[in-house]
Amino acid sequence: MKVFLHACCGPCMTSFDKYFKERNIPYSVYFYNPNIHPYKEFVKRMKTLDEYAESIGIEVIHDMSFQQYKWEHEYAELTANERCKNCYEQRINKTAEAAKQNGFTHFTSTLLISPYQNHEMINEIGISAGRRNDVAFYYKDFREYFRGGQNIAREKGLYRQKYCGCIYSYNESKFRDKISWD
Ligand code: SF4
């Protein structure tokens, strides 16, 4: 088994690293998150992820797609639920394709750890992406590890984002005044 882990940030990756290493499951990380805006936030999350992955000896493969125009204009008329479905599909489908191309047996996503995401929807999308690309979706309900991962991130001083990622979630964030991109 060799797992391709889609990850959108360092903090959520910490628990996956612990989980995989405890089970001797080799894995690499895939950064593909064109939904994250603005660009300063995109870079900050990626750098946090890269620095953390380097410190624990994990390879990261990047796709630097950044689609703020598309997200602001093409998705403006969608409901929040439709937009999230699009967002999951885009990232999970691409992860499954890249997993297959790069010789991984399984793929999964740090999205499965978040209590703020639509867990069932992510699972359904993962299963069908796996079937289409002939690579297994590694499913587990990782939400029980969320707080533990946040604690590790706090101990290590990793940047912890204040909103989900897209420009809509940024605009709705109650913590915008706490965001610093320096
Ligand atoms: S709220 Fe999060 S999951 Fe939903 S579209 Fe925005 S970034 Fe994607």
Side-chain angles (χ1 to χ4, degrees):
M1 179 188 285
K2 198 176 157 204
V3 181
F4 203 35
L5 171 65
H6 165 261
C8 51
C9 63
C12 288
M13 190 195 145
T14 57
S15 285
F16 282 83
D17 181 66
K18 191 164 180 284
Y19 178 89
F20 287 140
K21 283 188 177 153
E22 281 172 358
R23 288 159 184 79
N24 291 317
I25 299 173
Y27 78 101
S28 295
V29 166
Y30 187 43
F31 183 87
Y32 171 67
N33 300 288
N35 55 310
I36 298 174
H37 303 117
Y39 193 65
K40 283 182 176 177
E41 176 77 11
F42 177 92
V43 170
K44 189 146 189 175
R45 291 194 199 185
M46 185 181 66
K47 277 180 77 176
T48 303
L49 175 73
D50 285 353
E51 284 166 13
Y52 174 64
E54 190 178 0
S55 74
I56 56 174
I58 294 295
E59 174 196 33
V60 182
I61 296 173
H62 302 84
D63 181 314
M64 295 296 288
S65 304
F66 174 76
Q67 301 171 340
Q68 182 156 349
Y69 181 86
K70 180 175 181 162
W71 275 78
E72 273 183 308
H73 298 274
E74 291 182 25
Y75 296 166
E77 302 303 319
L78 299 181
T79 64
N81 196 50
E82 290 168 338
R83 202 178 293 127
C84 292
K85 184 165 184 278
N86 259 6
C87 184
Y88 299 149
E89 283 176 341
Q90 187 174 0
R91 292 186 285 168
I92 291 172
N93 290 342
K94 185 98 186 218
T95 305
E97 286 167 21
K100 186 71 186 171
Q101 283 162 8
N102 288 285
F104 290 84
T105 58
H106 292 70
F107 73 100
T108 193
S109 172
T110 57
L111 290 166
L112 287 171
I113 205 171
S114 172
Y116 305 109
Q117 304 294 348
N118 186 332
H119 194 86
E120 287 68 35
M121 191 185 274
I122 293 164
N123 188 29
E124 279 172 26
I125 292 168
I127 290 169
S128 37
R131 284 198 188 118
R132 268 197 315 281
N133 291 282
D134 190 28
V135 56
F137 181 55
Y138 190 103
Y139 173 75
K140 180 178 167 51
D141 188 345
F142 285 98
R143 287 176 289 189
E144 64 184 286
Y145 302 109
F146 181 74
R147 291 287 160 218
Q150 292 297 310
N151 290 339
I152 298 172
R154 202 175 287 113
E155 282 162 20
K156 292 185 177 295
L158 302 185
Y159 171 64
R160 290 181 299 130
Q161 63 268 21
K162 303 285 184 287
Y163 60 103
C164 189
C166 65
I167 202 77
Y168 305 94
S169 58
Y170 171 72
N171 289 338
E172 287 164 11
S173 173
K174 293 181 201 145
F175 306 105
R176 280 173 62 167
D177 57 330
K178 295 195 168 64
I179 298 169
S180 165
W181 290 308
D182 298 332

mmCIF file of all heavy atoms in Angstrom, residues 94-132:
data_model
loop_
_atom_site.group_PDB
_atom_site.id
_atom_site.type_symbol
_atom_site.label_atom_id
_atom_site.label_comp_id
_atom_site.label_asym_id
_atom_site.label_seq_id
_atom_site.Cartn_x
_atom_site.Cartn_y
_atom_site.Cartn_z
ATOM 1 N N LYS A 94 -9.035 15.229 -9.100
ATOM 2 C CA LYS A 94 -7.659 15.453 -9.566
ATOM 3 C C LYS A 94 -6.662 14.635 -8.745
ATOM 4 O O LYS A 94 -5.667 14.117 -9.271
ATOM 5 C CB LYS A 94 -7.350 16.949 -9.441
ATOM 6 C CG LYS A 94 -6.031 17.366 -9.980
ATOM 7 C CD LYS A 94 -6.165 17.931 -11.350
ATOM 8 C CE LYS A 94 -4.800 18.193 -11.882
ATOM 9 N NZ LYS A 94 -4.601 19.316 -12.647
ATOM 10 N N THR A 95 -6.920 14.492 -7.472
ATOM 11 C CA THR A 95 -6.029 13.690 -6.621
ATOM 12 C C THR A 95 -6.048 12.229 -7.063
ATOM 13 O O THR A 95 -5.002 11.571 -7.132
ATOM 14 C CB THR A 95 -6.452 13.794 -5.136
ATOM 15 O OG1 THR A 95 -6.486 15.166 -4.768
ATOM 16 C CG2 THR A 95 -5.465 13.057 -4.229
ATOM 17 N N ALA A 96 -7.242 11.722 -7.382
ATOM 18 C CA ALA A 96 -7.348 10.323 -7.830
ATOM 19 C C ALA A 96 -6.573 10.140 -9.140
ATOM 20 O O ALA A 96 -5.829 9.164 -9.302
ATOM 21 C CB ALA A 96 -8.820 9.955 -8.012
ATOM 22 N N GLU A 97 -6.718 11.087 -10.070
ATOM 23 C CA GLU A 97 -5.991 10.993 -11.353
ATOM 24 C C GLU A 97 -4.484 11.024 -11.114
ATOM 25 O O GLU A 97 -3.729 10.222 -11.664
ATOM 26 C CB GLU A 97 -6.350 12.184 -12.259
ATOM 27 C CG GLU A 97 -7.721 12.096 -12.865
ATOM 28 C CD GLU A 97 -8.150 13.437 -13.475
ATOM 29 O OE1 GLU A 97 -7.275 14.273 -13.783
ATOM 30 O OE2 GLU A 97 -9.369 13.635 -13.615
ATOM 31 N N ALA A 98 -4.048 11.949 -10.272
ATOM 32 C CA ALA A 98 -2.602 12.083 -10.013
ATOM 33 C C ALA A 98 -2.074 10.862 -9.259
ATOM 34 O O ALA A 98 -0.937 10.428 -9.477
ATOM 35 C CB ALA A 98 -2.327 13.370 -9.231
ATOM 36 N N ALA A 99 -2.886 10.303 -8.378
ATOM 37 C CA ALA A 99 -2.477 9.096 -7.640
ATOM 38 C C ALA A 99 -2.209 7.967 -8.621
ATOM 39 O O ALA A 99 -1.196 7.261 -8.538
ATOM 40 C CB ALA A 99 -3.554 8.698 -6.637
ATOM 41 N N LYS A 100 -3.109 7.811 -9.561
ATOM 42 C CA LYS A 100 -2.951 6.745 -10.555
ATOM 43 C C LYS A 100 -1.697 6.973 -11.396
ATOM 44 O O LYS A 100 -0.889 6.069 -11.602
ATOM 45 C CB LYS A 100 -4.207 6.712 -11.443
ATOM 46 C CG LYS A 100 -4.236 5.574 -12.430
ATOM 47 C CD LYS A 100 -4.447 4.258 -11.721
ATOM 48 C CE LYS A 100 -4.340 3.079 -12.667
ATOM 49 N NZ LYS A 100 -4.334 1.808 -11.950
ATOM 50 N N GLN A 101 -1.550 8.222 -11.866
ATOM 51 C CA GLN A 101 -0.395 8.545 -12.727
ATOM 52 C C GLN A 101 0.938 8.330 -12.014
ATOM 53 O O GLN A 101 1.938 7.980 -12.621
ATOM 54 C CB GLN A 101 -0.464 10.006 -13.178
ATOM 55 C CG GLN A 101 -1.456 10.247 -14.286
ATOM 56 C CD GLN A 101 -1.818 11.728 -14.405
ATOM 57 O OE1 GLN A 101 -1.218 12.580 -13.765
ATOM 58 N NE2 GLN A 101 -2.825 12.021 -15.228
ATOM 59 N N ASN A 102 0.939 8.564 -10.700
ATOM 60 C CA ASN A 102 2.200 8.484 -9.948
ATOM 61 C C ASN A 102 2.410 7.143 -9.244
ATOM 62 O O ASN A 102 3.311 7.012 -8.426
ATOM 63 C CB ASN A 102 2.264 9.640 -8.940
ATOM 64 C CG ASN A 102 2.503 10.975 -9.620
ATOM 65 O OD1 ASN A 102 3.609 11.274 -10.060
ATOM 66 N ND2 ASN A 102 1.460 11.769 -9.763
ATOM 67 N N GLY A 103 1.580 6.159 -9.562
ATOM 68 C CA GLY A 103 1.818 4.804 -9.074
ATOM 69 C C GLY A 103 1.393 4.517 -7.642
ATOM 70 O O GLY A 103 1.910 3.579 -7.023
ATOM 71 N N PHE A 104 0.482 5.309 -7.090
ATOM 72 C CA PHE A 104 -0.013 5.032 -5.735
ATOM 73 C C PHE A 104 -1.153 4.011 -5.805
ATOM 74 O O PHE A 104 -1.883 3.950 -6.793
ATOM 75 C CB PHE A 104 -0.516 6.328 -5.074
ATOM 76 C CG PHE A 104 0.587 7.281 -4.737
ATOM 77 C CD1 PHE A 104 1.092 8.151 -5.703
ATOM 78 C CD2 PHE A 104 1.150 7.299 -3.471
ATOM 79 C CE1 PHE A 104 2.127 9.023 -5.412
ATOM 80 C CE2 PHE A 104 2.184 8.161 -3.167
ATOM 81 C CZ PHE A 104 2.676 9.034 -4.138
ATOM 82 N N THR A 105 -1.296 3.234 -4.734
ATOM 83 C CA THR A 105 -2.385 2.240 -4.711
ATOM 84 C C THR A 105 -3.671 2.854 -4.147
ATOM 85 O O THR A 105 -4.759 2.378 -4.428
ATOM 86 C CB THR A 105 -2.014 1.042 -3.816
ATOM 87 O OG1 THR A 105 -1.723 1.525 -2.492
ATOM 88 C CG2 THR A 105 -0.827 0.283 -4.370
ATOM 89 N N HIS A 106 -3.498 3.878 -3.287
ATOM 90 C CA HIS A 106 -4.640 4.480 -2.607
ATOM 91 C C HIS A 106 -4.513 6.014 -2.627
ATOM 92 O O HIS A 106 -3.412 6.536 -2.778
ATOM 93 C CB HIS A 106 -4.702 4.049 -1.141
ATOM 94 C CG HIS A 106 -5.025 2.600 -0.950
ATOM 95 N ND1 HIS A 106 -4.151 1.598 -1.280
ATOM 96 C CD2 HIS A 106 -6.137 1.997 -0.447
ATOM 97 C CE1 HIS A 106 -4.696 0.427 -0.997
ATOM 98 N NE2 HIS A 106 -5.904 0.638 -0.500
ATOM 99 N N PHE A 107 -5.620 6.665 -2.402
ATOM 100 C CA PHE A 107 -5.581 8.116 -2.201
ATOM 101 C C PHE A 107 -6.607 8.463 -1.138
ATOM 102 O O PHE A 107 -7.552 7.709 -0.870
ATOM 103 C CB PHE A 107 -5.859 8.876 -3.504
ATOM 104 C CG PHE A 107 -7.299 8.827 -3.938
ATOM 105 C CD1 PHE A 107 -8.152 9.892 -3.694
ATOM 106 C CD2 PHE A 107 -7.806 7.699 -4.558
ATOM 107 C CE1 PHE A 107 -9.484 9.845 -4.081
ATOM 108 C CE2 PHE A 107 -9.147 7.633 -4.937
ATOM 109 C CZ PHE A 107 -9.980 8.705 -4.701
ATOM 110 N N THR A 108 -6.389 9.631 -0.523
ATOM 111 C CA THR A 108 -7.363 10.124 0.451
ATOM 112 C C THR A 108 -7.180 11.633 0.594
ATOM 113 O O THR A 108 -6.421 12.234 -0.172
ATOM 114 C CB THR A 108 -7.220 9.386 1.804
ATOM 115 O OG1 THR A 108 -8.356 9.678 2.612
ATOM 116 C CG2 THR A 108 -5.941 9.768 2.543
ATOM 117 N N SER A 109 -7.904 12.237 1.540
ATOM 118 C CA SER A 109 -7.828 13.693 1.673
ATOM 119 C C SER A 109 -7.937 14.103 3.130
ATOM 120 O O SER A 109 -8.713 13.520 3.906
ATOM 121 C CB SER A 109 -8.975 14.347 0.885
ATOM 122 O OG SER A 109 -9.001 15.738 1.160
ATOM 123 N N THR A 110 -7.198 15.146 3.483
ATOM 124 C CA THR A 110 -7.303 15.694 4.841
ATOM 125 C C THR A 110 -8.684 16.296 5.082
ATOM 126 O O THR A 110 -9.042 16.568 6.224
ATOM 127 C CB THR A 110 -6.231 16.776 5.108
ATOM 128 O OG1 THR A 110 -6.353 17.807 4.124
ATOM 129 C CG2 THR A 110 -4.825 16.208 5.062
ATOM 130 N N LEU A 111 -9.457 16.493 4.016
ATOM 131 C CA LEU A 111 -10.821 16.995 4.205
ATOM 132 C C LEU A 111 -11.625 16.079 5.125
ATOM 133 O O LEU A 111 -12.562 16.514 5.795
ATOM 134 C CB LEU A 111 -11.541 17.093 2.851
ATOM 135 C CG LEU A 111 -11.051 18.185 1.890
ATOM 136 C CD1 LEU A 111 -11.594 17.940 0.492
ATOM 137 C CD2 LEU A 111 -11.456 19.560 2.402
ATOM 138 N N LEU A 112 -11.243 14.800 5.174
ATOM 139 C CA LEU A 112 -11.989 13.826 5.980
ATOM 140 C C LEU A 112 -11.797 14.032 7.483
ATOM 141 O O LEU A 112 -12.493 13.395 8.276
ATOM 142 C CB LEU A 112 -11.538 12.394 5.628
ATOM 143 C CG LEU A 112 -11.994 11.842 4.280
ATOM 144 C CD1 LEU A 112 -11.287 10.531 3.982
ATOM 145 C CD2 LEU A 112 -13.505 11.648 4.250
ATOM 146 N N ILE A 113 -10.881 14.915 7.859
ATOM 147 C CA ILE A 113 -10.648 15.104 9.299
ATOM 148 C C ILE A 113 -11.481 16.263 9.850
ATOM 149 O O ILE A 113 -11.646 16.373 11.069
ATOM 150 C CB ILE A 113 -9.141 15.359 9.584
ATOM 151 C CG1 ILE A 113 -8.807 14.937 11.011
ATOM 152 C CG2 ILE A 113 -8.746 16.793 9.345
ATOM 153 C CD1 ILE A 113 -7.330 14.948 11.321
ATOM 154 N N SER A 114 -11.995 17.087 8.970
ATOM 155 C CA SER A 114 -12.622 18.320 9.446
ATOM 156 C C SER A 114 -14.085 18.130 9.844
ATOM 157 O O SER A 114 -14.906 17.699 9.038
ATOM 158 C CB SER A 114 -12.539 19.398 8.359
ATOM 159 O OG SER A 114 -13.307 20.506 8.755
ATOM 160 N N PRO A 115 -14.435 18.521 11.065
ATOM 161 C CA PRO A 115 -15.848 18.461 11.467
ATOM 162 C C PRO A 115 -16.683 19.554 10.786
ATOM 163 O O PRO A 115 -17.901 19.565 10.912
ATOM 164 C CB PRO A 115 -15.789 18.683 12.981
ATOM 165 C CG PRO A 115 -14.497 19.369 13.238
ATOM 166 C CD PRO A 115 -13.552 18.973 12.141
ATOM 167 N N TYR A 116 -16.009 20.461 10.071
ATOM 168 C CA TYR A 116 -16.723 21.553 9.403
ATOM 169 C C TYR A 116 -17.088 21.236 7.950
ATOM 170 O O TYR A 116 -17.732 22.023 7.279
ATOM 171 C CB TYR A 116 -15.867 22.840 9.429
ATOM 172 C CG TYR A 116 -15.444 23.213 10.821
ATOM 173 C CD1 TYR A 116 -14.115 23.079 11.219
ATOM 174 C CD2 TYR A 116 -16.368 23.654 11.757
ATOM 175 C CE1 TYR A 116 -13.716 23.393 12.509
ATOM 176 C CE2 TYR A 116 -15.991 23.969 13.050
ATOM 177 C CZ TYR A 116 -14.658 23.826 13.414
ATOM 178 O OH TYR A 116 -14.278 24.128 14.698
ATOM 179 N N GLN A 117 -16.622 20.098 7.444
ATOM 180 C CA GLN A 117 -16.902 19.735 6.047
ATOM 181 C C GLN A 117 -18.045 18.728 5.969
ATOM 182 O O GLN A 117 -18.398 18.113 6.968
ATOM 183 C CB GLN A 117 -15.647 19.126 5.389
ATOM 184 C CG GLN A 117 -14.409 19.990 5.428
ATOM 185 C CD GLN A 117 -14.522 21.261 4.598
ATOM 186 O OE1 GLN A 117 -15.439 21.414 3.799
ATOM 187 N NE2 GLN A 117 -13.611 22.184 4.793
ATOM 188 N N ASN A 118 -18.572 18.544 4.760
ATOM 189 C CA ASN A 118 -19.648 17.573 4.546
ATOM 190 C C ASN A 118 -19.011 16.197 4.325
ATOM 191 O O ASN A 118 -18.662 15.819 3.212
ATOM 192 C CB ASN A 118 -20.496 17.995 3.339
ATOM 193 C CG ASN A 118 -21.706 17.104 3.167
ATOM 194 O OD1 ASN A 118 -21.684 15.933 3.551
ATOM 195 N ND2 ASN A 118 -22.764 17.647 2.595
ATOM 196 N N HIS A 119 -18.869 15.494 5.409
ATOM 197 C CA HIS A 119 -18.109 14.248 5.414
ATOM 198 C C HIS A 119 -18.703 13.196 4.462
ATOM 199 O O HIS A 119 -17.982 12.547 3.699
ATOM 200 C CB HIS A 119 -18.094 13.714 6.853
ATOM 201 C CG HIS A 119 -17.107 12.643 7.091
ATOM 202 N ND1 HIS A 119 -15.796 12.893 7.422
ATOM 203 C CD2 HIS A 119 -17.226 11.305 7.017
ATOM 204 C CE1 HIS A 119 -15.164 11.753 7.564
ATOM 205 N NE2 HIS A 119 -16.001 10.769 7.327
ATOM 206 N N GLU A 120 -19.995 13.047 4.499
ATOM 207 C CA GLU A 120 -20.644 12.019 3.671
ATOM 208 C C GLU A 120 -20.461 12.347 2.186
ATOM 209 O O GLU A 120 -20.215 11.467 1.364
ATOM 210 C CB GLU A 120 -22.136 11.914 4.016
ATOM 211 C CG GLU A 120 -22.418 11.254 5.362
ATOM 212 C CD GLU A 120 -21.951 12.094 6.561
ATOM 213 O OE1 GLU A 120 -22.030 13.341 6.481
ATOM 214 O OE2 GLU A 120 -21.476 11.500 7.546
ATOM 215 N N MET A 121 -20.571 13.620 1.853
ATOM 216 C CA MET A 121 -20.398 14.024 0.449
ATOM 217 C C MET A 121 -18.965 13.734 -0.019
ATOM 218 O O MET A 121 -18.746 13.230 -1.126
ATOM 219 C CB MET A 121 -20.717 15.513 0.283
ATOM 220 C CG MET A 121 -20.835 15.975 -1.144
ATOM 221 S SD MET A 121 -21.059 17.766 -1.261
ATOM 222 C CE MET A 121 -22.823 17.919 -1.074
ATOM 223 N N ILE A 122 -18.010 14.026 0.812
ATOM 224 C CA ILE A 122 -16.600 13.781 0.465
ATOM 225 C C ILE A 122 -16.383 12.285 0.242
ATOM 226 O O ILE A 122 -15.715 11.874 -0.717
ATOM 227 C CB ILE A 122 -15.674 14.306 1.584
ATOM 228 C CG1 ILE A 122 -15.755 15.821 1.655
ATOM 229 C CG2 ILE A 122 -14.228 13.854 1.371
ATOM 230 C CD1 ILE A 122 -15.193 16.401 2.939
ATOM 231 N N ASN A 123 -16.958 11.485 1.093
ATOM 232 C CA ASN A 123 -16.797 10.036 0.969
ATOM 233 C C ASN A 123 -17.388 9.526 -0.356
ATOM 234 O O ASN A 123 -16.747 8.751 -1.074
ATOM 235 C CB ASN A 123 -17.460 9.339 2.164
ATOM 236 C CG ASN A 123 -17.167 7.861 2.182
ATOM 237 O OD1 ASN A 123 -16.123 7.417 1.700
ATOM 238 N ND2 ASN A 123 -18.075 7.080 2.730
ATOM 239 N N GLU A 124 -18.587 9.988 -0.680
ATOM 240 C CA GLU A 124 -19.220 9.552 -1.942
ATOM 241 C C GLU A 124 -18.371 9.958 -3.147
ATOM 242 O O GLU A 124 -18.159 9.176 -4.077
ATOM 243 C CB GLU A 124 -20.599 10.214 -2.097
ATOM 244 C CG GLU A 124 -21.692 9.528 -1.307
ATOM 245 C CD GLU A 124 -22.973 10.335 -1.331
ATOM 246 O OE1 GLU A 124 -23.189 11.109 -2.282
ATOM 247 O OE2 GLU A 124 -23.753 10.180 -0.376
ATOM 248 N N ILE A 125 -17.878 11.189 -3.128
ATOM 249 C CA ILE A 125 -17.055 11.679 -4.247
ATOM 250 C C ILE A 125 -15.754 10.878 -4.331
ATOM 251 O O ILE A 125 -15.301 10.504 -5.422
ATOM 252 C CB ILE A 125 -16.780 13.192 -4.080
ATOM 253 C CG1 ILE A 125 -18.087 13.974 -4.257
ATOM 254 C CG2 ILE A 125 -15.736 13.677 -5.075
ATOM 255 C CD1 ILE A 125 -17.999 15.431 -3.832
ATOM 256 N N GLY A 126 -15.181 10.578 -3.186
ATOM 257 C CA GLY A 126 -13.932 9.802 -3.152
ATOM 258 C C GLY A 126 -14.123 8.403 -3.722
ATOM 259 O O GLY A 126 -13.300 7.924 -4.515
ATOM 260 N N ILE A 127 -15.210 7.756 -3.333
ATOM 261 C CA ILE A 127 -15.453 6.392 -3.822
ATOM 262 C C ILE A 127 -15.621 6.403 -5.339
ATOM 263 O O ILE A 127 -15.014 5.599 -6.050
ATOM 264 C CB ILE A 127 -16.703 5.792 -3.129
ATOM 265 C CG1 ILE A 127 -16.385 5.516 -1.647
ATOM 266 C CG2 ILE A 127 -17.159 4.512 -3.817
ATOM 267 C CD1 ILE A 127 -17.606 5.186 -0.806
ATOM 268 N N SER A 128 -16.430 7.331 -5.859
ATOM 269 C CA SER A 128 -16.610 7.305 -7.326
ATOM 270 C C SER A 128 -15.355 7.741 -8.074
ATOM 271 O O SER A 128 -15.047 7.201 -9.141
ATOM 272 C CB SER A 128 -17.847 8.071 -7.802
ATOM 273 O OG SER A 128 -18.041 9.185 -7.069
ATOM 274 N N ALA A 129 -14.587 8.671 -7.526
ATOM 275 C CA ALA A 129 -13.321 9.062 -8.186
ATOM 276 C C ALA A 129 -12.371 7.868 -8.215
ATOM 277 O O ALA A 129 -11.649 7.640 -9.194
ATOM 278 C CB ALA A 129 -12.679 10.232 -7.444
ATOM 279 N N GLY A 130 -12.362 7.090 -7.151
ATOM 280 C CA GLY A 130 -11.510 5.898 -7.088
ATOM 281 C C GLY A 130 -11.912 4.878 -8.140
ATOM 282 O O GLY A 130 -11.045 4.304 -8.819
ATOM 283 N N ARG A 131 -13.221 4.663 -8.268
ATOM 284 C CA ARG A 131 -13.689 3.683 -9.267
ATOM 285 C C ARG A 131 -13.308 4.119 -10.683
ATOM 286 O O ARG A 131 -12.832 3.342 -11.486
ATOM 287 C CB ARG A 131 -15.220 3.561 -9.194
ATOM 288 C CG ARG A 131 -15.656 2.754 -7.996
ATOM 289 C CD ARG A 131 -17.092 2.252 -8.154
ATOM 290 N NE ARG A 131 -17.511 1.643 -6.909
ATOM 291 C CZ ARG A 131 -18.525 2.070 -6.159
ATOM 292 N NH1 ARG A 131 -19.259 3.083 -6.544
ATOM 293 N NH2 ARG A 131 -18.824 1.464 -5.030
ATOM 294 N N ARG A 132 -13.528 5.403 -10.953
ATOM 295 C CA ARG A 132 -13.236 5.899 -12.311
ATOM 296 C C ARG A 132 -11.755 5.803 -12.665
ATOM 297 O O ARG A 132 -11.389 5.576 -13.804
ATOM 298 C CB ARG A 132 -13.666 7.367 -12.434
ATOM 299 C CG ARG A 132 -15.064 7.571 -12.929
ATOM 300 C CD ARG A 132 -15.274 8.991 -13.417
ATOM 301 N NE ARG A 132 -14.725 9.979 -12.525
ATOM 302 C CZ ARG A 132 -15.322 10.383 -11.395
ATOM 303 N NH1 ARG A 132 -16.484 9.889 -11.054
ATOM 304 N NH2 ARG A 132 -14.746 11.277 -10.620
#
